[in-house]
Amino acid sequence: DAGITQSPRYKITETGRQVTLMCHQTWSHSYMFWYRQDLGHGLRLIYYSAAADITDKGEVPDGYVVSRSKTENFPLTLESATRSQTSVYFCASSVGGIVGGEQYFGPGTRLTVT
Amino acid sequence: GENVEQHPSTLSVQEGDSAVIKCTYSDSASNYFPWYKQELGKRPQLIIDIRSNVGEKKDQRIAVTLNKTAKHFSLHITETQPEDSAVYFCAAALFGNEKLTFGTGTRLTIIP
């Protein structure tokens, strides 16, 4: 599990600020995903990427921006943070998407927007 | 889009008894159904999955059953142990569409 890491693990920011959450994996997995986890909603997909320079929207993409210039990194940026984006964010990766099987999750980033 | 409902939201069982968690899905085209376990403060981890061409799958004390006609699938844990205490999430997806839709989770507590 040390193959996928997230930073920072905890972040407090103010409304309106830009914040970037980092995700790094060492397995050279093609697919990477960003989820948010909120009580009562389970895990919801924000964005995913099938390969470097290929990204697509998930269920709740509004207010978020992603990029993937390198296979191993998949940063998530909140361009202007809002209180509703207070959540736990999980990054995940997999060899080949759903067909490729298991998604491996990172340890999560707890973000609080004040 | 897909909608996954999960019941119950909390479940307490005596150690050694069985636990059953049920999920229903809305999109009849969905064909992949994983279950994730999340211990307190930890990351979700896949414990078992099933594809729509299979009706049941077992892995030691854990089994998953799928009823495509009724569009529901269930997680069965037998001979429960304290380490089974966690939140369990079901999910559904369609091969070729990389979007896992998760249920809202079941908090399972094993009473010693």
Side-chain angles (χ1 to χ4, degrees), chain A residues 41-88:
Chain A
H41 289 280
L43 290 148
R44 291 182 290 176
L45 182 65
I46 304 170
Y47 271 95
Y48 72 96
S49 168
D53 298 321
I54 301 175
T55 62
D56 202 356
K57 296 178 180 180
E59 182 183 352
V60 288
D62 293 344
Y64 303 95
V65 175
V66 293
S67 62
R68 194 166 176 208
S69 57
K70 294 183 178 181
T71 299
E72 61 267 29
N73 296 325
F74 192 36
L76 176 74
T77 297
L78 289 68
E79 292 192 302
S80 179
T82 65
R83 290 193 181 88
S84 65
Q85 292 177 309
T86 292
S87 186
V88 178

mmCIF file of all heavy atoms in Angstrom, chain A residues 41-88:
data_model
loop_
_atom_site.group_PDB
_atom_site.id
_atom_site.type_symbol
_atom_site.label_atom_id
_atom_site.label_comp_id
_atom_site.label_asym_id
_atom_site.label_seq_id
_atom_site.Cartn_x
_atom_site.Cartn_y
_atom_site.Cartn_z
ATOM 1 N N HIS A 41 -23.030 9.852 2.146
ATOM 2 C CA HIS A 41 -22.910 9.781 0.695
ATOM 3 C C HIS A 41 -21.951 8.697 0.232
ATOM 4 O O HIS A 41 -21.862 8.415 -0.955
ATOM 5 C CB HIS A 41 -22.426 11.118 0.130
ATOM 6 C CG HIS A 41 -23.457 12.196 0.197
ATOM 7 N ND1 HIS A 41 -24.488 12.303 -0.720
ATOM 8 C CD2 HIS A 41 -23.634 13.206 1.063
ATOM 9 C CE1 HIS A 41 -25.231 13.337 -0.416
ATOM 10 N NE2 HIS A 41 -24.749 13.901 0.673
ATOM 11 N N GLY A 42 -21.238 8.105 1.114
ATOM 12 C CA GLY A 42 -20.258 7.130 0.680
ATOM 13 C C GLY A 42 -19.136 7.793 -0.099
ATOM 14 O O GLY A 42 -18.763 8.942 0.166
ATOM 15 N N LEU A 43 -18.619 7.094 -1.075
ATOM 16 C CA LEU A 43 -17.544 7.601 -1.929
ATOM 17 C C LEU A 43 -18.131 8.054 -3.263
ATOM 18 O O LEU A 43 -18.870 7.304 -3.901
ATOM 19 C CB LEU A 43 -16.511 6.502 -2.173
ATOM 20 C CG LEU A 43 -15.663 6.124 -0.971
ATOM 21 C CD1 LEU A 43 -15.278 4.657 -1.019
ATOM 22 C CD2 LEU A 43 -14.414 6.990 -0.929
ATOM 23 N N ARG A 44 -17.775 9.250 -3.677
ATOM 24 C CA ARG A 44 -18.264 9.762 -4.955
ATOM 25 C C ARG A 44 -17.089 10.141 -5.832
ATOM 26 O O ARG A 44 -16.168 10.834 -5.388
ATOM 27 C CB ARG A 44 -19.193 10.965 -4.726
ATOM 28 C CG ARG A 44 -20.516 10.592 -4.073
ATOM 29 C CD ARG A 44 -21.410 11.800 -3.920
ATOM 30 N NE ARG A 44 -20.903 12.721 -2.906
ATOM 31 C CZ ARG A 44 -21.445 13.901 -2.629
ATOM 32 N NH1 ARG A 44 -22.503 14.322 -3.297
ATOM 33 N NH2 ARG A 44 -20.923 14.662 -1.685
ATOM 34 N N LEU A 45 -17.141 9.720 -7.085
ATOM 35 C CA LEU A 45 -16.057 9.958 -8.022
ATOM 36 C C LEU A 45 -16.057 11.407 -8.499
ATOM 37 O O LEU A 45 -17.090 11.917 -8.959
ATOM 38 C CB LEU A 45 -16.192 9.010 -9.217
ATOM 39 C CG LEU A 45 -15.111 9.093 -10.280
ATOM 40 C CD1 LEU A 45 -13.753 8.657 -9.715
ATOM 41 C CD2 LEU A 45 -15.484 8.230 -11.477
ATOM 42 N N ILE A 46 -14.898 12.051 -8.404
ATOM 43 C CA ILE A 46 -14.776 13.443 -8.844
ATOM 44 C C ILE A 46 -14.248 13.483 -10.284
ATOM 45 O O ILE A 46 -14.880 14.058 -11.169
ATOM 46 C CB ILE A 46 -13.817 14.225 -7.917
ATOM 47 C CG1 ILE A 46 -14.279 14.144 -6.467
ATOM 48 C CG2 ILE A 46 -13.719 15.685 -8.358
ATOM 49 C CD1 ILE A 46 -13.266 14.693 -5.470
ATOM 50 N N TYR A 47 -13.084 12.911 -10.503
ATOM 51 C CA TYR A 47 -12.454 12.813 -11.811
ATOM 52 C C TYR A 47 -11.663 11.515 -11.876
ATOM 53 O O TYR A 47 -11.279 10.959 -10.859
ATOM 54 C CB TYR A 47 -11.470 13.974 -12.044
ATOM 55 C CG TYR A 47 -12.054 15.210 -12.658
ATOM 56 C CD1 TYR A 47 -12.484 16.263 -11.848
ATOM 57 C CD2 TYR A 47 -12.160 15.350 -14.036
ATOM 58 C CE1 TYR A 47 -13.013 17.417 -12.406
ATOM 59 C CE2 TYR A 47 -12.689 16.504 -14.600
ATOM 60 C CZ TYR A 47 -13.117 17.532 -13.779
ATOM 61 O OH TYR A 47 -13.634 18.670 -14.335
ATOM 62 N N TYR A 48 -11.407 11.081 -13.093
ATOM 63 C CA TYR A 48 -10.488 9.967 -13.256
ATOM 64 C C TYR A 48 -9.637 10.196 -14.503
ATOM 65 O O TYR A 48 -9.942 11.063 -15.334
ATOM 66 C CB TYR A 48 -11.226 8.622 -13.307
ATOM 67 C CG TYR A 48 -12.010 8.369 -14.571
ATOM 68 C CD1 TYR A 48 -11.462 7.640 -15.621
ATOM 69 C CD2 TYR A 48 -13.311 8.835 -14.705
ATOM 70 C CE1 TYR A 48 -12.187 7.391 -16.769
ATOM 71 C CE2 TYR A 48 -14.046 8.585 -15.842
ATOM 72 C CZ TYR A 48 -13.485 7.858 -16.874
ATOM 73 O OH TYR A 48 -14.203 7.613 -18.009
ATOM 74 N N SER A 49 -8.580 9.401 -14.591
ATOM 75 C CA SER A 49 -7.652 9.527 -15.708
ATOM 76 C C SER A 49 -7.265 8.135 -16.180
ATOM 77 O O SER A 49 -6.892 7.292 -15.376
ATOM 78 C CB SER A 49 -6.410 10.302 -15.269
ATOM 79 O OG SER A 49 -5.386 10.197 -16.235
ATOM 80 N N ALA A 50 -7.373 7.924 -17.484
ATOM 81 C CA ALA A 50 -7.033 6.624 -18.056
ATOM 82 C C ALA A 50 -5.547 6.516 -18.401
ATOM 83 O O ALA A 50 -5.021 5.413 -18.561
ATOM 84 C CB ALA A 50 -7.870 6.356 -19.296
ATOM 85 N N ALA A 51 -4.883 7.657 -18.532
ATOM 86 C CA ALA A 51 -3.456 7.677 -18.882
ATOM 87 C C ALA A 51 -3.008 9.128 -18.785
ATOM 88 O O ALA A 51 -3.828 10.040 -18.595
ATOM 89 C CB ALA A 51 -3.237 7.123 -20.284
ATOM 90 N N ALA A 52 -1.732 9.341 -18.936
ATOM 91 C CA ALA A 52 -1.219 10.713 -18.928
ATOM 92 C C ALA A 52 -1.930 11.527 -20.010
ATOM 93 O O ALA A 52 -2.161 11.048 -21.117
ATOM 94 C CB ALA A 52 0.286 10.711 -19.156
ATOM 95 N N ASP A 53 -2.326 12.723 -19.621
ATOM 96 C CA ASP A 53 -2.997 13.683 -20.507
ATOM 97 C C ASP A 53 -4.413 13.278 -20.912
ATOM 98 O O ASP A 53 -4.995 13.910 -21.802
ATOM 99 C CB ASP A 53 -2.168 13.943 -21.769
ATOM 100 C CG ASP A 53 -0.814 14.551 -21.457
ATOM 101 O OD1 ASP A 53 -0.757 15.411 -20.555
ATOM 102 O OD2 ASP A 53 0.172 14.156 -22.092
ATOM 103 N N ILE A 54 -4.979 12.259 -20.256
ATOM 104 C CA ILE A 54 -6.366 11.851 -20.526
ATOM 105 C C ILE A 54 -7.133 11.869 -19.206
ATOM 106 O O ILE A 54 -6.833 11.099 -18.294
ATOM 107 C CB ILE A 54 -6.437 10.447 -21.149
ATOM 108 C CG1 ILE A 54 -5.675 10.386 -22.453
ATOM 109 C CG2 ILE A 54 -7.910 10.043 -21.359
ATOM 110 C CD1 ILE A 54 -5.607 9.002 -23.065
ATOM 111 N N THR A 55 -8.100 12.769 -19.096
ATOM 112 C CA THR A 55 -8.916 12.852 -17.889
ATOM 113 C C THR A 55 -10.389 12.922 -18.270
ATOM 114 O O THR A 55 -10.737 13.309 -19.388
ATOM 115 C CB THR A 55 -8.557 14.081 -17.041
ATOM 116 O OG1 THR A 55 -8.815 15.266 -17.798
ATOM 117 C CG2 THR A 55 -7.096 14.052 -16.617
ATOM 118 N N ASP A 56 -11.244 12.544 -17.333
ATOM 119 C CA ASP A 56 -12.684 12.582 -17.585
ATOM 120 C C ASP A 56 -13.416 12.835 -16.277
ATOM 121 O O ASP A 56 -12.927 12.509 -15.189
ATOM 122 C CB ASP A 56 -13.164 11.274 -18.208
ATOM 123 C CG ASP A 56 -14.479 11.445 -18.959
ATOM 124 O OD1 ASP A 56 -15.062 12.555 -18.930
ATOM 125 O OD2 ASP A 56 -14.944 10.463 -19.566
ATOM 126 N N LYS A 57 -14.595 13.436 -16.403
ATOM 127 C CA LYS A 57 -15.388 13.790 -15.249
ATOM 128 C C LYS A 57 -16.045 12.573 -14.626
ATOM 129 O O LYS A 57 -16.408 11.622 -15.303
ATOM 130 C CB LYS A 57 -16.470 14.798 -15.648
ATOM 131 C CG LYS A 57 -15.930 16.129 -16.124
ATOM 132 C CD LYS A 57 -17.073 17.048 -16.541
ATOM 133 C CE LYS A 57 -16.539 18.389 -17.028
ATOM 134 N NZ LYS A 57 -17.650 19.293 -17.443
ATOM 135 N N GLY A 58 -16.214 12.680 -13.307
ATOM 136 C CA GLY A 58 -16.963 11.682 -12.585
ATOM 137 C C GLY A 58 -18.331 12.215 -12.220
ATOM 138 O O GLY A 58 -18.924 13.002 -12.951
ATOM 139 N N GLU A 59 -18.785 11.824 -11.050
ATOM 140 C CA GLU A 59 -20.134 12.165 -10.599
ATOM 141 C C GLU A 59 -20.240 13.605 -10.093
ATOM 142 O O GLU A 59 -21.252 14.270 -10.295
ATOM 143 C CB GLU A 59 -20.534 11.196 -9.491
ATOM 144 C CG GLU A 59 -21.933 11.382 -8.933
ATOM 145 C CD GLU A 59 -22.219 10.417 -7.785
ATOM 146 O OE1 GLU A 59 -21.394 9.513 -7.524
ATOM 147 O OE2 GLU A 59 -23.265 10.578 -7.129
ATOM 148 N N VAL A 60 -19.184 14.110 -9.445
ATOM 149 C CA VAL A 60 -19.240 15.432 -8.804
ATOM 150 C C VAL A 60 -18.024 16.275 -9.170
ATOM 151 O O VAL A 60 -17.217 16.636 -8.331
ATOM 152 C CB VAL A 60 -19.369 15.285 -7.271
ATOM 153 C CG1 VAL A 60 -20.745 14.795 -6.879
ATOM 154 C CG2 VAL A 60 -18.287 14.365 -6.703
ATOM 155 N N PRO A 61 -17.838 16.688 -10.432
ATOM 156 C CA PRO A 61 -16.623 17.376 -10.847
ATOM 157 C C PRO A 61 -16.607 18.899 -10.625
ATOM 158 O O PRO A 61 -15.540 19.521 -10.681
ATOM 159 C CB PRO A 61 -16.585 17.078 -12.351
ATOM 160 C CG PRO A 61 -18.035 17.017 -12.731
ATOM 161 C CD PRO A 61 -18.725 16.373 -11.546
ATOM 162 N N ASP A 62 -17.777 19.487 -10.372
ATOM 163 C CA ASP A 62 -17.850 20.951 -10.307
ATOM 164 C C ASP A 62 -16.993 21.496 -9.179
ATOM 165 O O ASP A 62 -17.083 21.060 -8.028
ATOM 166 C CB ASP A 62 -19.307 21.396 -10.135
ATOM 167 C CG ASP A 62 -20.143 21.087 -11.360
ATOM 168 O OD1 ASP A 62 -19.550 20.821 -12.433
ATOM 169 O OD2 ASP A 62 -21.379 21.122 -11.256
ATOM 170 N N GLY A 63 -16.185 22.514 -9.503
ATOM 171 C CA GLY A 63 -15.330 23.153 -8.509
ATOM 172 C C GLY A 63 -13.951 22.538 -8.410
ATOM 173 O O GLY A 63 -13.123 23.007 -7.618
ATOM 174 N N TYR A 64 -13.677 21.513 -9.177
ATOM 175 C CA TYR A 64 -12.398 20.805 -9.145
ATOM 176 C C TYR A 64 -11.735 20.821 -10.521
ATOM 177 O O TYR A 64 -12.417 20.833 -11.547
ATOM 178 C CB TYR A 64 -12.587 19.347 -8.714
ATOM 179 C CG TYR A 64 -13.250 19.160 -7.381
ATOM 180 C CD1 TYR A 64 -14.622 18.948 -7.307
ATOM 181 C CD2 TYR A 64 -12.523 19.193 -6.192
ATOM 182 C CE1 TYR A 64 -15.257 18.765 -6.085
ATOM 183 C CE2 TYR A 64 -13.148 19.004 -4.973
ATOM 184 C CZ TYR A 64 -14.516 18.795 -4.925
ATOM 185 O OH TYR A 64 -15.133 18.620 -3.711
ATOM 186 N N VAL A 65 -10.403 20.802 -10.492
ATOM 187 C CA VAL A 65 -9.620 20.713 -11.723
ATOM 188 C C VAL A 65 -8.549 19.655 -11.513
ATOM 189 O O VAL A 65 -7.957 19.560 -10.425
ATOM 190 C CB VAL A 65 -8.960 22.067 -12.061
ATOM 191 C CG1 VAL A 65 -8.048 21.927 -13.274
ATOM 192 C CG2 VAL A 65 -10.014 23.128 -12.324
ATOM 193 N N VAL A 66 -8.303 18.860 -12.544
ATOM 194 C CA VAL A 66 -7.251 17.850 -12.464
ATOM 195 C C VAL A 66 -6.329 17.988 -13.656
ATOM 196 O O VAL A 66 -6.681 18.577 -14.682
ATOM 197 C CB VAL A 66 -7.800 16.409 -12.404
ATOM 198 C CG1 VAL A 66 -8.554 16.153 -11.111
ATOM 199 C CG2 VAL A 66 -8.669 16.112 -13.623
ATOM 200 N N SER A 67 -5.158 17.410 -13.504
ATOM 201 C CA SER A 67 -4.199 17.311 -14.602
ATOM 202 C C SER A 67 -3.415 16.035 -14.412
ATOM 203 O O SER A 67 -3.333 15.500 -13.297
ATOM 204 C CB SER A 67 -3.271 18.519 -14.620
ATOM 205 O OG SER A 67 -2.515 18.577 -13.426
ATOM 206 N N ARG A 68 -2.830 15.556 -15.498
ATOM 207 C CA ARG A 68 -1.993 14.365 -15.363
ATOM 208 C C ARG A 68 -0.919 14.421 -16.451
ATOM 209 O O ARG A 68 -1.056 13.824 -17.520
ATOM 210 C CB ARG A 68 -2.806 13.081 -15.477
ATOM 211 C CG ARG A 68 -2.000 11.866 -15.003
ATOM 212 C CD ARG A 68 -2.882 10.697 -14.796
ATOM 213 N NE ARG A 68 -2.108 9.511 -14.431
ATOM 214 C CZ ARG A 68 -2.504 8.274 -14.692
ATOM 215 N NH1 ARG A 68 -3.647 8.062 -15.322
ATOM 216 N NH2 ARG A 68 -1.762 7.263 -14.326
ATOM 217 N N SER A 69 0.142 15.128 -16.152
ATOM 218 C CA SER A 69 1.250 15.264 -17.102
ATOM 219 C C SER A 69 2.194 14.069 -17.020
ATOM 220 O O SER A 69 2.867 13.742 -18.006
ATOM 221 C CB SER A 69 2.006 16.560 -16.851
ATOM 222 O OG SER A 69 2.482 16.599 -15.521
ATOM 223 N N LYS A 70 2.235 13.406 -15.860
ATOM 224 C CA LYS A 70 3.047 12.213 -15.685
ATOM 225 C C LYS A 70 2.181 11.067 -15.177
ATOM 226 O O LYS A 70 1.254 11.298 -14.396
ATOM 227 C CB LYS A 70 4.191 12.463 -14.694
ATOM 228 C CG LYS A 70 5.231 13.459 -15.170
ATOM 229 C CD LYS A 70 6.353 13.573 -14.143
ATOM 230 C CE LYS A 70 7.421 14.528 -14.604
ATOM 231 N NZ LYS A 70 8.542 14.640 -13.624
ATOM 232 N N THR A 71 2.495 9.857 -15.585
ATOM 233 C CA THR A 71 1.704 8.691 -15.200
ATOM 234 C C THR A 71 1.565 8.570 -13.691
ATOM 235 O O THR A 71 0.508 8.200 -13.181
ATOM 236 C CB THR A 71 2.346 7.405 -15.755
ATOM 237 O OG1 THR A 71 2.380 7.478 -17.174
ATOM 238 C CG2 THR A 71 1.553 6.165 -15.337
ATOM 239 N N GLU A 72 2.618 8.909 -12.953
ATOM 240 C CA GLU A 72 2.627 8.633 -11.519
ATOM 241 C C GLU A 72 1.935 9.685 -10.666
ATOM 242 O O GLU A 72 1.697 9.460 -9.488
ATOM 243 C CB GLU A 72 4.067 8.451 -11.032
ATOM 244 C CG GLU A 72 4.964 9.657 -11.220
ATOM 245 C CD GLU A 72 5.741 9.618 -12.525
ATOM 246 O OE1 GLU A 72 5.235 9.025 -13.507
ATOM 247 O OE2 GLU A 72 6.849 10.191 -12.559
ATOM 248 N N ASN A 73 1.607 10.838 -11.232
ATOM 249 C CA ASN A 73 1.032 11.917 -10.438
ATOM 250 C C ASN A 73 -0.339 12.330 -10.960
ATOM 251 O O ASN A 73 -0.549 12.417 -12.179
ATOM 252 C CB ASN A 73 1.960 13.137 -10.449
ATOM 253 C CG ASN A 73 3.289 12.849 -9.786
ATOM 254 O OD1 ASN A 73 3.364 12.104 -8.812
ATOM 255 N ND2 ASN A 73 4.344 13.428 -10.321
ATOM 256 N N PHE A 74 -1.231 12.645 -10.030
ATOM 257 C CA PHE A 74 -2.589 13.043 -10.412
ATOM 258 C C PHE A 74 -3.079 14.078 -9.399
ATOM 259 O O PHE A 74 -3.838 13.763 -8.484
ATOM 260 C CB PHE A 74 -3.501 11.817 -10.442
ATOM 261 C CG PHE A 74 -4.846 12.036 -11.075
ATOM 262 C CD1 PHE A 74 -5.012 12.872 -12.170
ATOM 263 C CD2 PHE A 74 -5.970 11.368 -10.574
ATOM 264 C CE1 PHE A 74 -6.251 13.049 -12.753
ATOM 265 C CE2 PHE A 74 -7.220 11.544 -11.158
ATOM 266 C CZ PHE A 74 -7.353 12.385 -12.246
ATOM 267 N N PRO A 75 -2.671 15.333 -9.523
ATOM 268 C CA PRO A 75 -3.082 16.354 -8.560
ATOM 269 C C PRO A 75 -4.528 16.799 -8.765
ATOM 270 O O PRO A 75 -5.024 16.843 -9.890
ATOM 271 C CB PRO A 75 -2.103 17.499 -8.841
ATOM 272 C CG PRO A 75 -1.681 17.299 -10.264
ATOM 273 C CD PRO A 75 -1.697 15.823 -10.503
ATOM 274 N N LEU A 76 -5.162 17.142 -7.670
ATOM 275 C CA LEU A 76 -6.538 17.648 -7.663
ATOM 276 C C LEU A 76 -6.506 19.060 -7.102
ATOM 277 O O LEU A 76 -6.014 19.277 -5.999
ATOM 278 C CB LEU A 76 -7.433 16.764 -6.792
ATOM 279 C CG LEU A 76 -8.882 17.219 -6.606
ATOM 280 C CD1 LEU A 76 -9.680 16.976 -7.885
ATOM 281 C CD2 LEU A 76 -9.530 16.492 -5.426
ATOM 282 N N THR A 77 -7.024 20.016 -7.854
ATOM 283 C CA THR A 77 -7.017 21.411 -7.430
ATOM 284 C C THR A 77 -8.434 21.919 -7.213
ATOM 285 O O THR A 77 -9.306 21.715 -8.055
ATOM 286 C CB THR A 77 -6.306 22.295 -8.471
ATOM 287 O OG1 THR A 77 -4.941 21.892 -8.575
ATOM 288 C CG2 THR A 77 -6.358 23.764 -8.054
ATOM 289 N N LEU A 78 -8.620 22.547 -6.062
ATOM 290 C CA LEU A 78 -9.841 23.283 -5.781
ATOM 291 C C LEU A 78 -9.504 24.738 -6.066
ATOM 292 O O LEU A 78 -8.705 25.350 -5.362
ATOM 293 C CB LEU A 78 -10.271 23.116 -4.329
ATOM 294 C CG LEU A 78 -10.826 21.756 -3.893
ATOM 295 C CD1 LEU A 78 -9.769 20.658 -3.910
ATOM 296 C CD2 LEU A 78 -11.448 21.859 -2.514
ATOM 297 N N GLU A 79 -10.072 25.284 -7.122
ATOM 298 C CA GLU A 79 -9.642 26.607 -7.580
ATOM 299 C C GLU A 79 -10.084 27.710 -6.617
ATOM 300 O O GLU A 79 -9.363 28.679 -6.415
ATOM 301 C CB GLU A 79 -10.177 26.869 -8.975
ATOM 302 C CG GLU A 79 -9.534 25.951 -10.017
ATOM 303 C CD GLU A 79 -9.851 26.396 -11.427
ATOM 304 O OE1 GLU A 79 -11.054 26.480 -11.750
ATOM 305 O OE2 GLU A 79 -8.891 26.635 -12.201
ATOM 306 N N SER A 80 -11.238 27.581 -6.038
ATOM 307 C CA SER A 80 -11.755 28.546 -5.072
ATOM 308 C C SER A 80 -12.571 27.754 -4.052
ATOM 309 O O SER A 80 -13.758 27.502 -4.254
ATOM 310 C CB SER A 80 -12.614 29.599 -5.765
ATOM 311 O OG SER A 80 -13.138 30.519 -4.822
ATOM 312 N N ALA A 81 -11.916 27.351 -2.981
ATOM 313 C CA ALA A 81 -12.524 26.407 -2.049
ATOM 314 C C ALA A 81 -13.804 26.950 -1.414
ATOM 315 O O ALA A 81 -13.905 28.149 -1.084
ATOM 316 C CB ALA A 81 -11.517 26.040 -0.966
ATOM 317 N N THR A 82 -14.768 26.064 -1.240
ATOM 318 C CA THR A 82 -16.022 26.402 -0.563
ATOM 319 C C THR A 82 -16.219 25.451 0.615
ATOM 320 O O THR A 82 -15.633 24.361 0.656
ATOM 321 C CB THR A 82 -17.222 26.263 -1.508
ATOM 322 O OG1 THR A 82 -17.366 24.886 -1.885
ATOM 323 C CG2 THR A 82 -17.044 27.111 -2.762
ATOM 324 N N ARG A 83 -17.047 25.841 1.576
ATOM 325 C CA ARG A 83 -17.271 25.009 2.764
ATOM 326 C C ARG A 83 -17.832 23.638 2.379
ATOM 327 O O ARG A 83 -17.566 22.635 3.055
ATOM 328 C CB ARG A 83 -18.189 25.714 3.745
ATOM 329 C CG ARG A 83 -17.537 26.906 4.421
ATOM 330 C CD ARG A 83 -18.359 27.391 5.616
ATOM 331 N NE ARG A 83 -17.734 28.544 6.240
ATOM 332 C CZ ARG A 83 -17.958 29.793 5.871
ATOM 333 N NH1 ARG A 83 -18.806 30.068 4.890
ATOM 334 N NH2 ARG A 83 -17.344 30.799 6.491
ATOM 335 N N SER A 84 -18.596 23.601 1.295
ATOM 336 C CA SER A 84 -19.185 22.323 0.873
ATOM 337 C C SER A 84 -18.129 21.334 0.359
ATOM 338 O O SER A 84 -18.432 20.153 0.162
ATOM 339 C CB SER A 84 -20.231 22.555 -0.225
ATOM 340 O OG SER A 84 -19.613 23.070 -1.385
ATOM 341 N N GLN A 85 -16.909 21.818 0.171
ATOM 342 C CA GLN A 85 -15.833 20.933 -0.258
ATOM 343 C C GLN A 85 -15.036 20.368 0.920
ATOM 344 O O GLN A 85 -14.058 19.646 0.724
ATOM 345 C CB GLN A 85 -14.902 21.663 -1.234
ATOM 346 C CG GLN A 85 -15.589 21.976 -2.558
ATOM 347 C CD GLN A 85 -14.712 22.759 -3.508
ATOM 348 O OE1 GLN A 85 -14.132 23.794 -3.139
ATOM 349 N NE2 GLN A 85 -14.620 22.302 -4.746
ATOM 350 N N THR A 86 -15.454 20.686 2.129
ATOM 351 C CA THR A 86 -14.902 20.035 3.310
ATOM 352 C C THR A 86 -15.245 18.546 3.221
ATOM 353 O O THR A 86 -16.417 18.170 3.111
ATOM 354 C CB THR A 86 -15.492 20.633 4.588
ATOM 355 O OG1 THR A 86 -15.018 21.974 4.718
ATOM 356 C CG2 THR A 86 -15.076 19.818 5.810
ATOM 357 N N SER A 87 -14.223 17.714 3.251
ATOM 358 C CA SER A 87 -14.440 16.298 3.006
ATOM 359 C C SER A 87 -13.130 15.546 3.222
ATOM 360 O O SER A 87 -12.083 16.141 3.457
ATOM 361 C CB SER A 87 -14.932 16.087 1.563
ATOM 362 O OG SER A 87 -15.288 14.742 1.319
ATOM 363 N N VAL A 88 -13.216 14.226 3.116
ATOM 364 C CA VAL A 88 -12.018 13.396 3.036
ATOM 365 C C VAL A 88 -11.868 12.988 1.575
ATOM 366 O O VAL A 88 -12.808 12.468 0.965
ATOM 367 C CB VAL A 88 -12.109 12.152 3.930
ATOM 368 C CG1 VAL A 88 -10.854 11.300 3.775
ATOM 369 C CG2 VAL A 88 -12.295 12.548 5.391
#
